[in-house]
Amino acid sequence: MDRLDRSNQASVIVFTSPKAGSGAGREELPRLTAELARIGVAVQTVASVNELKRAVSHFDHPVVVAAGGDGTLALAAESIDETVPLVPMPMGTENLLARHFGHSRDAHAVIETLRFGGPQQIDVGSAAGKPFLIMATCGFDADVVRGMHLTRRGHINRFSYFRPIIRSLRTYTFPEIEIRVDNGPPILAGWAMVFNLPRYAASLSIEPDAVPDDGMLDLIALKGRSIASGIRYLAGIQTGSHLNFSDVVRCRGKQFDIRAVNPTDGRIAYQVDGDYGGRLPLKIETKVGRTRLLLPATGELPRSARSSKIDT
């Protein structure tokens, strides 16, 4: 079925953030809207959640294109009904979800997905009410993201993280974190990472078995609480051996309660899909099948076999 055929009456809403990532590829936006208008498709560009919601309610058969980074995509997913198809147009720094499913920012590729892309309902995580499609973490990496948040001015790239990393290396004390999964016994760690997709920044594969449509989220808890432990974990992640470390805990669930063991350690930051989210305590919940993603016309949902070592 061609969704853009006149008989199907689909309309396209382009939701974009001018501050997304490095701003690379933004020349594809006017190409997309011009080509849609040329073939007779109703198209509207919006830049705020309120405008997006109004536009979706205005059209009978809306399809939303989220032009930006992973944060823009998650915001769009939260703002529309689970029956409204969503297409990523990656223009952020990492674009983890788009890379996972094979989406392109090329205008013609986006139109092909709008026309013929297969729908796939995927889960969405909710971190203190803030949606995420990829992951939410707290610990050293979230402290780095907080440092970026405090100093960010306009577009960023991977090199923009250099100063926040140096700052966190100098100041972060690795306070102990307590994690409870589905009201189970406490897990004590220095890092807590909850994944919906098997993706992390810089192509690191921390939880390779996360599946976005299984109704569950996947926890990786790193018990080490020092720079030396962090270097060891990074080396293990790069070789794929970290999952065999005795101080790495894996489990999955639907609800995660995360807090500082000792409140006097200071408030610990968390990040959501690469954006600063706030400070602990944090409750994470799973919204099963919350988003209808359109996959590239030639793509299919990647699935990973679950490891027998995952605790349930």
Side-chain angles (χ1 to χ4, degrees):
M1 179 188 74
D2 183 351
R3 293 182 186 84
L4 302 186
D5 185 88
R6 292 180 183 273
S7 62
N8 293 321
Q9 298 180 336
S11 302
V12 176
I13 303 161
V14 179
F15 177 58
T16 185
S17 168
K19 294 183 180 180
S22 63
R26 297 197 70 85
E27 70 278 359
E28 292 296 321
L29 270 175
R31 293 176 185 170
L32 174 66
T33 55
E35 179 61 17
L36 289 171
R38 189 190 68 79
I39 62 177
V41 176
V43 58
Q44 181 177 350
T45 300
V46 299
S48 73
V49 167
N50 288 336
E51 288 178 309
L52 174 61
K53 291 179 178 179
R54 284 196 296 267
V56 167
S57 65
H58 177 74
F59 293 115
D60 290 332
H61 302 286
V63 181
V64 174
V65 174
D70 292 307
T72 300
L73 188 61
L75 191 59
E78 178 193 34
S79 304
I80 61 179
D81 189 84
E82 63 268 18
T83 62
V84 176
L86 179 63
V87 177
M89 189 174 186
M91 294 182 181
T93 304
E94 292 288 350
N95 306 303
L96 296 176
L97 184 140
R99 285 162 54 193
H100 180 71
F101 289 110
H103 291 91
S104 168
R105 67 186 176 211
D106 177 78
H108 291 291
V110 173
I111 290 174
E112 284 299 295
T113 301
L114 288 168
R115 284 186 182 276
F116 305 113
Q120 175 67 48
Q121 297 295 139
I122 66 171
D123 306 326
V124 175
S126 175
K130 184 177 178 63
F132 65 92
L133 296 171
I134 301 112
M135 45 73 184
T137 75
C138 59
F140 177 84
D141 64 315
D143 193 68
V144 171
V145 172
R146 177 178 175 270
M148 172 58 69
H149 170 77
L150 293 175
T151 59
R152 176 173 179 170
R153 299 293 184 272
H155 299 309
I156 63 173
N157 54 44
R158 288 181 179 176
F159 295 106
S160 304
Y161 286 89
F162 179 76
R163 288 186 178 179
I165 288 173
I166 296 300
R167 168 194 166 276
S168 293
L169 286 171
R170 290 174 175 171
T171 63
Y172 194 66
T173 60
F174 291 88
E176 194 168 31
I177 297 167
E178 177 188 289
I179 311 132
R180 291 182 183 267
V181 182
D182 293 335
N183 298 314
I187 300 168
L188 301 181
W191 265 282
M193 301 183 172
V194 178
F195 291 90
N196 187 43
L197 284 177
R199 286 278 181 174
Y200 191 79
S203 300
L204 296 177
S205 181
I206 298 175
E207 177 44 272
D209 293 335
V211 177
D213 66 342
D214 63 351
M216 308 282 274
L217 298 173
D218 293 69
L219 170 73
I220 292 284
L222 308 177
K223 291 187 175 183
R225 296 171 53 209
S226 67
I227 295 296
S229 294
I231 294 172
R232 181 170 60 89
Y233 291 136
L234 179 59
I237 290 166
Q238 289 177 330
T239 61
S241 61
H242 67 294
L243 299 178
N244 297 320
F245 291 179
S246 61
D247 58 350
V248 173
V249 178
R250 303 172 79 191
C251 62
R252 60 183 186 269
K254 291 187 174 181
Q255 181 175 301
F256 303 79
D257 291 285
I258 307 173
R259 65 186 62 249
V261 170
N262 186 353
T264 62
D265 282 335
R267 300 185 65 201
I268 303 169
Y270 66 88
Q271 62 95 5
V272 179
D273 282 353
D275 292 330
Y276 174 61
R279 304 276 200 162
L280 298 186
L282 170 65
K283 175 174 284 189
I284 295 175
E285 297 175 313
T286 310
K287 296 185 177 181
V288 179
R290 175 61 180 81
T291 293
R292 175 169 292 183
L293 195 69
L294 290 187
L295 304 186
T298 58
E300 64 181 63
L301 181 68
R303 289 181 177 272
S304 301
R306 287 283 180 185
S307 168
S308 61
K309 295 183 179 180
I310 297 181
D311 299 322
T312 56

